[in-house]
Amino acid sequence: MSKSLARVRDIEMAYDDSGGDGAALVLLHGFPFDRSMWRGQAEALGGEFRVVAPDLRGSGETPVGAGGVSIAGMAEDVAALLDELKLGRVVLGGLSMGGYVAFEFFRKFPGRVRALLLADTRPQADTEEGRRAREENAQRALEEGMVPIVESMLPKLLAAGTRERGGEVLERVRAMMLGTSPEGAAAALRAMALRRDQTALLPTINVPTLIVVGSEDAVTPPADAEAMGAKIEGSRLVVVEGAGHLSNVERPGEFNRALAEFLRALPA
Ligand code: MLT
């Protein structure tokens, strides 16, 4: 896995690329995380498939840029990255905020999506109350930095077992969150608050779709994943036992098995 930079619209976008000739799988991280959350997938699948994982605008090592941040704009960034990499149709995966970007990408560029992976995400827009909380957190991040945001979010993100085990996973997630710049976090929070409701898009999704959710996901619970799956014809739902909102990081073995099986069964 080598880190690379691509000129994408007005910014330099950081991404990892396993290279190789296999089918391309593009993985979009959640908030407030970065491309390193997909390390376990790149390590397991990056030989057989070409795994590309960018830092979305304002996250990790990709800057916010000058023109404002929106979920639709992040989807445009991903399309520009695919252009740079000369990737036509890809399997597009997103976890949580990455899923919001994947919905927007499918809406704009359906012909470029060979299949979808929707992990721990939901189609609904925020409620008014949710929007207010995002704005409070955005201001808090800008005034006080990431520590209070991280400490209030962390307990809700991970399954009880992951938190109790502590160790490498917990520390990795904490470090990734603390590595998000306050400016990038505020921009992403405001972008998520303004994102459109994608519920009406679901019945138009006509590509193979894998939905994955942690059995203890408190942010986008299994019931939401089931309701989403019921609206996407032919979709497959996998519940990862013992994982919270970060199912791919908390239970990489189970997550990778489901993903590999899905990828290998895709029509050419
Ligand atoms: C994420 O993991 O991307 C966030 O929890 C999504 C959200 O806050 O809606």
Side-chain angles (χ1 to χ4, degrees), residues 30-31 33 95-97 100 122 134 153 157 192 219 245:
F31 169 87
F33 313 121
L95 183 136
S96 203
M97 181 179 79
Y100 309 158
R122 59 169 167 232
R134 297 250 198 230
M153 276 186 85
L157 288 176
M192 287 193 286
V219 181
H245 188 53

Side-chain angles (χ1 to χ4, degrees), residues 75 115 145 176 227 233:
M176 192 165 50
E233 206 184 317

Side-chain angles (χ1 to χ4, degrees), residues 35 80 89 123 127 131 140 166 168 198 201 217 245 256:
R35 67 189 196 275
R89 280 178 88 225
T127 58
R131 286 198 187 103
R140 204 161 170 210
E168 197 254 336
Q198 304 284 11
L201 182 79
D217 186 340
H245 188 53
N256 292 344

Side-chain angles (χ1 to χ4, degrees), residues 45-237:
L45 302 170
E48 185 176 352
F49 304 96
R50 179 165 178 191
V51 180
V52 175
D55 280 339
L56 295 167
R57 189 178 284 257
S59 298
E61 296 178 88
T62 297
V64 169
V69 177
S70 66
I71 297 296
M74 290 184 200
E76 299 272 358
D77 292 340
V78 173
L81 175 65
L82 300 192
D83 290 345
E84 276 295 307
L85 299 180
K86 310 225 174 335
L87 291 173
R89 280 178 88 225
V90 301
V91 180
L92 185 63
L95 183 136
S96 203
M97 181 179 79
Y100 309 158
V101 179
F103 286 131
E104 200 61 47
F105 187 98
F106 185 85
R107 178 183 283 279
K108 283 175 188 287
F109 313 106
R112 301 190 77 165
V113 182
R114 185 174 166 211
L116 275 175
L117 160 69
L118 301 170
D120 303 279
T121 192
R122 59 169 167 232
Q124 301 92 325
D126 282 358
T127 58
E128 262 317 307
E129 191 192 341
R131 286 198 187 103
R132 267 197 302 278
R134 297 250 198 230
E135 183 51 33
E136 278 166 26
N137 276 337
Q139 286 175 23
R140 204 161 170 210
L142 292 172
E143 283 160 21
E144 299 171 40
M146 288 305 286
V147 173
I149 307 288
V150 172
E151 294 314 324
S152 71
M153 276 186 85
L154 204 47
K156 288 180 233 145
L157 288 176
L158 303 173
T162 312
R163 289 199 306 274
E164 279 151 23
R165 275 191 302 279
E168 197 254 336
V169 170
L170 185 61
E171 285 323 307
R172 222 182 107 199
V173 172
R174 191 196 302 275
M176 192 165 50
M177 295 169 81
L178 288 170
T180 304
S181 74
E183 186 199 15
L189 284 161
R190 287 170 175 155
M192 287 193 286
L194 293 178
R195 77 187 187 278
R196 89 173 93 205
D197 190 299
Q198 304 284 11
T199 310
L201 182 79
L202 302 181
T204 74
I205 296 179
N206 54 359
V207 294
T209 300
L210 174 65
I211 299 172
V212 183
V213 67
S215 63
E216 294 180 42
D217 186 340
V219 181
T220 49
D224 283 9
E226 262 169 51
M228 179 163 74
K231 295 201 172 84
I232 305 177
E233 206 184 317
S235 62
R236 164 138 205 268
L237 170 65

